[in-house]
Amino acid sequence: VPRIDPWMPKPHLLPPLAPPVKPAPPCHVGNILVFEQDGVAIYGGGDTRRAMPEIADVVLCLTTHPLLDVWVLPEHWSARHRIPMIVSMPILDYSTPLVDKDFWTALWNDLQEEAARNGVMPLYVLAMCTGGHGRTGTVLTSLALAAGVVPIGADPIIWVRDRYCRKAVETEEQLAYICETFHVDSQA
């Protein structure tokens, strides 16, 4: 005979269980493909969001402090081509790049030429900062505009947010930079 504890609440007297709460969608994790055009694939990520720079061909490092342990191998070593090319583009956190539209056009052209020169198609380019939101979102939007992949009439910041992360381009200063540099409007 099972023993009944008189101090335990009766099952019919317990409050009903609350329905499960649907969790908010997670922010980006890893390397997220934003667009691919003319032999170049542009990804975004953040160091704290488990970006994987080691699998990229080119890493646009946007922090003012080293994010990556860079291996330096002699030019003539065959293993050298297995290490990502690191392009240091330091931008202060929550700030904007100090370059104009011509820079972004030139960078886009350089990435296309790098893809063609090395025969790597697509060239895997990862833009990353610490969290992968403000600086990374600003650079991703700038590259998308320079590459001409944002559809005519589309809001470029919303276009990047829809493909990458809803937190891309964090500050009013970053939003203003994109609008002023590329002469575009945004409702973001």
Side-chain angles (χ1 to χ4, degrees):
V1 174
R3 191 158 189 241
I4 299 174
D5 184 347
W7 300 106
M8 288 297 294
K10 308 289 185 260
H12 67 279
L13 298 176
L14 293 175
L17 293 175
V21 176
K22 183 178 178 183
C27 193
H28 65 91
V29 174
N31 302 358
I32 307 298
L33 177 64
V34 180
F35 69 92
E36 187 175 330
Q37 177 83 2
D38 301 329
V40 179
I42 301 293
Y43 290 77
D47 190 46
T48 61
R49 313 236 25 105
R50 296 194 305 249
M52 298 174 289
E54 64 276 6
I55 64 174
D57 298 312
V58 177
V59 177
L60 305 178
C61 183
L62 310 175
T63 64
T64 54
H65 60 279
L67 266 182
L68 312 167
D69 292 326
V70 180
W71 293 12
V72 179
L73 298 177
E75 290 282 336
H76 63 280
W77 284 21
S78 62
R80 185 176 178 84
H81 74 279
R82 303 231 182 245
I83 297 173
M85 178 188 312
I86 310 296
V87 179
S88 179
M89 299 173 56
I91 302 168
L92 292 174
D93 203 6
Y94 301 102
S95 190
T96 62
L98 301 175
V99 295
D100 61 11
K101 181 180 177 181
D102 290 341
F103 169 83
W104 296 110
T105 302
L107 178 60
W108 178 250
N109 291 335
D110 289 340
L111 293 171
Q112 289 175 301
E113 289 172 16
E114 183 67 22
R117 179 177 30 260
N118 291 329
V120 177
M121 294 289 182
L123 183 72
Y124 192 130
V125 179
L126 173 64
M128 66 179 288
C129 62
T130 306
H133 293 128
R135 294 172 284 183
T136 298
T138 302
V139 167
L140 292 172
T141 305
S142 298
L143 285 170
L145 287 164
V149 298
V150 178
I152 294 171
D155 184 314
I157 296 167
I158 293 172
W159 188 88
V160 167
R161 285 178 177 172
D162 287 347
R163 282 153 187 74
Y164 174 62
C165 178
R166 68 189 184 313
K167 295 180 183 179
V169 187
E170 288 180 297
T171 69
E172 290 297 321
E173 181 184 5
Q174 291 164 346
L175 188 137
Y177 170 82
I178 291 164
C179 293
E180 292 167 12
T181 301
F182 293 93
H183 308 290
V184 294
D185 292 321
S186 178
Q187 301 304 312

